[in-house]
Amino acid sequence: MSLNEIKSRIQKAEETTGRPVGSTQLIAVSKVQPNERVHAVLQQGHRLFGENKVQEAEGKWPDFKKEFPDTKVHLIGPLQTNKVKNAVALFDAIHAVDRPKLAKKLATEIQSQGKAPDMFIQVNTGEEEQKAGVLPAEADTFIKECFALDLPIIGLMVIPPVNEEASLHFALLRKIAERNGLTGLSMGMSGDFERAVALGATHVRVGSAIFGERDYR
Ligand SMILES: *Cc1c(COP(=O)(O)O)cnc(C)c1O
């Protein structure tokens, strides 16, 4: 597939479900991809990317941003507290805020850097042990804690369990967001982004469908 094909599929999903065209932002997930592939997508005019590791992003984005200064990069993977300083400095948004210790560290770092990336709270809707994210039953309380810290929380983020129908998880995320007055929904990947758009995603995170399979060797 190509960038343009993904964009037109997003648009089609917006149209068929009565959403305004252009209301879904496409985050091109460039983790692990060779720099040539990322550069090619930048040259096609795309300017919003996602990475899941702070160190990996630091190794490529400062250079790409020199050539394409209006580029935005979002951190979509888990964040360790010892990387918060670097993450706040580098990223335009952070998608995996999921625990009080991290929230407090982010608040402190925003103060000291005078720079505040947009934030999403990750919800572990599948209640999977190995997965990051706040549990659905604890989400309302944690969201309020983040508001009390003045974090710029714009929405919620989910990675559904691999063997379950993603739409159920997208719908649950949306419900939690709505009852907390949050409008941002970071949900949908290469295999299910159209279903996510249909359920109101404001940000879809698509990697392999744009760049090809990741080679982890
Ligand atoms: C890697 C990753 C994606 C993209 O996955 P694809 O299946 O390649 O589209 C989306 N979200 C997160 C959090 C990821 O880590």
Side-chain angles (χ1 to χ4, degrees), residues 3-20:
L3 177 70
N4 281 333
E5 192 176 337
I6 302 296
K7 283 195 198 160
S8 66
R9 283 172 58 182
I10 290 172
Q11 180 168 337
K12 196 148 177 237
E14 287 171 339
E15 283 165 356
T16 54
T17 54
R19 294 191 49 197

Side-chain angles (χ1 to χ4, degrees), residues 29 31 52 76-77 157 159 188-191 205-209 214 216:
V29 178
K31 66 183 187 201
N52 74 334
I76 60 171
M157 179 270 214
I159 307 171
M189 319 199 323
S190 290
R205 312 176 307 266
V206 181
S208 44
R214 287 177 290 276
Y216 285 98

Side-chain angles (χ1 to χ4, degrees), residues 106-172:
L106 282 164
T108 308
E109 204 50 49
I110 286 171
Q111 285 299 317
S112 75
Q113 294 189 32
K115 173 180 184 283
D118 290 336
M119 291 179 191
F120 294 82
I121 290 170
Q122 183 173 355
V123 185
N124 185 358
T125 57
E127 308 192 20
E128 294 172 282
E129 207 135 293
Q130 80 288 3
K131 199 163 272 176
V134 63
L135 294 172
E138 291 160 11
D140 295 2
T141 306
F142 182 61
I143 292 166
K144 286 185 185 74
E145 267 182 85
C146 290
F147 286 157
L149 287 165
D150 272 335
L151 290 183
I153 303 291
I154 63 164
L156 304 181
M157 179 270 214
V158 71
I159 307 171
V162 278
N163 295 318
E164 291 180 26
E165 173 48 51
S167 295
L168 300 173
H169 295 272
F170 298 156
L172 175 57

